[in-house]
Amino acid sequence: FAAGYSATDRTVCVVGFQSGNRDLIGNYTANTAPEATTPAFSPASPKTNDILDASSTLTDADGDTVRGTFVWKVQTGDDTCEVRTFTSAFAATGSVHTDSLNLGTAHTATSCTGTAPFPSTINPSKGDTIHVFVTPSDGTANGTTKTNSVLVANSAPTATVSLNDSSPKTNDTLTATATKSDADGDVVSLTFVWKVNGTTKQTTTTSSSLTDTFDLSQAGNGSKGDTIEVFVTPNDGTTNGATASATA
């Protein structure tokens, strides 16, 4: 090694010969591949129709600018398919690079593994596993790919309710009409709870009907000046959704 250099220096020496003498002409420091952190998800527990972000911090020991290639895969049942690839722009070392996957839309499925025939498109939904792979690059070399996975969680169902009459009279029959929906397509049951001045008088649970009635002519079910409330709570078999209500 030339004076001032040791075996620990990551240096390639270029030498030449002139009049029988060996001279050091120059040196070149070898490139260091960039690094990526394990990608982090937001939201941490995504649901059907969410926009799922994956973020990774990319660094380069040489101070080179870096970019990241994101590859998204969805595992549904026995099949795992690639649904998106994205490469971020070059940015300074230490910068955070982010890409997003829309869980509310269908994506073209490619490079599938599992059990054929494979799907042509995949719309991520409850129970599917989302995988993301991030590979950093400094334009010269790729760093080690980092990966992370997250399960698509259950979406709570929703409901609304309205009454056929906001000013009923004694002996009238009130009818509550509800709507229900579930982003995962689960079967939703509805529980109707009728209250008079805050006291529960009737409870009905149904998976088929969107209506329920309350007979004010029955003793204790309401008289002039009483407040009648109906509360409707949806359930998809796993969790309750927010309770909707109407008042007369």
Side-chain angles (χ1 to χ4, degrees), residues 2-21:
Y5 289 87
S6 71
T8 59
D9 289 324
R10 296 187 303 109
T11 302
V12 177
C13 294
V14 181
V15 297
F17 295 91
Q18 183 177 7
S19 302
N21 296 321

Side-chain angles (χ1 to χ4, degrees), residues 49-65:
N49 297 330
D50 280 350
I51 303 296
L52 179 61
D53 293 334
S55 300
S56 177
T57 300
L58 309 186
T59 56
D60 188 273
D62 304 321
D64 296 332
T65 56

Side-chain angles (χ1 to χ4, degrees), residues 14-182:
V14 181
V15 297
F17 295 91
Q18 183 177 7
S19 302
N21 296 321
R22 175 169 158 154
D23 301 317
L24 176 67
I25 297 176
N27 62 74
Y28 171 75
T29 300
N31 179 64
T32 301
E35 296 181 349
T37 60
T38 299
F41 290 114
S42 179
S45 182
K47 299 177 178 64
T48 301
N49 297 330
D50 280 350
I51 303 296
L52 179 61
D53 293 334
S55 300
S56 177
T57 300
L58 309 186
T59 56
D60 188 273
D62 304 321
D64 296 332
T65 56
V66 284
R67 65 182 180 186
T69 296
F70 293 74
V71 176
W72 295 84
K73 295 184 179 183
V74 177
Q75 181 180 344
T76 178
D78 294 331
D79 300 328
T80 300
C81 300
E82 185 176 316
V83 295
R84 176 176 168 80
T85 299
F86 169 78
T87 299
S88 61
F90 279 106
T93 179
S95 55
V96 177
H97 295 243
T98 301
D99 190 36
S100 303
L101 184 68
N102 186 348
L103 304 186
T105 190
H107 301 270
T108 300
T110 62
S111 304
C112 295
T113 60
T115 304
F118 299 118
S120 59
T121 62
I122 294 179
N123 189 341
S125 59
K126 180 183 75 172
D128 290 346
T129 300
I130 311 299
H131 305 272
V132 67
F133 303 80
V134 180
T135 304
S137 173
D138 61 7
T140 301
N142 289 338
T144 301
T145 297
K146 294 296 181 67
T147 184
N148 202 358
S149 303
V150 66
L151 186 72
V152 181
N154 179 62
S155 298
T158 60
T160 66
V161 65
S162 61
L163 290 171
N164 64 318
D165 191 345
S166 60
S167 300
K169 299 177 178 60
T170 302
N171 297 331
D172 282 353
T173 296
L174 279 175
T175 299
T177 301
T179 66
K180 60 183 179 180
S181 63
D182 187 272

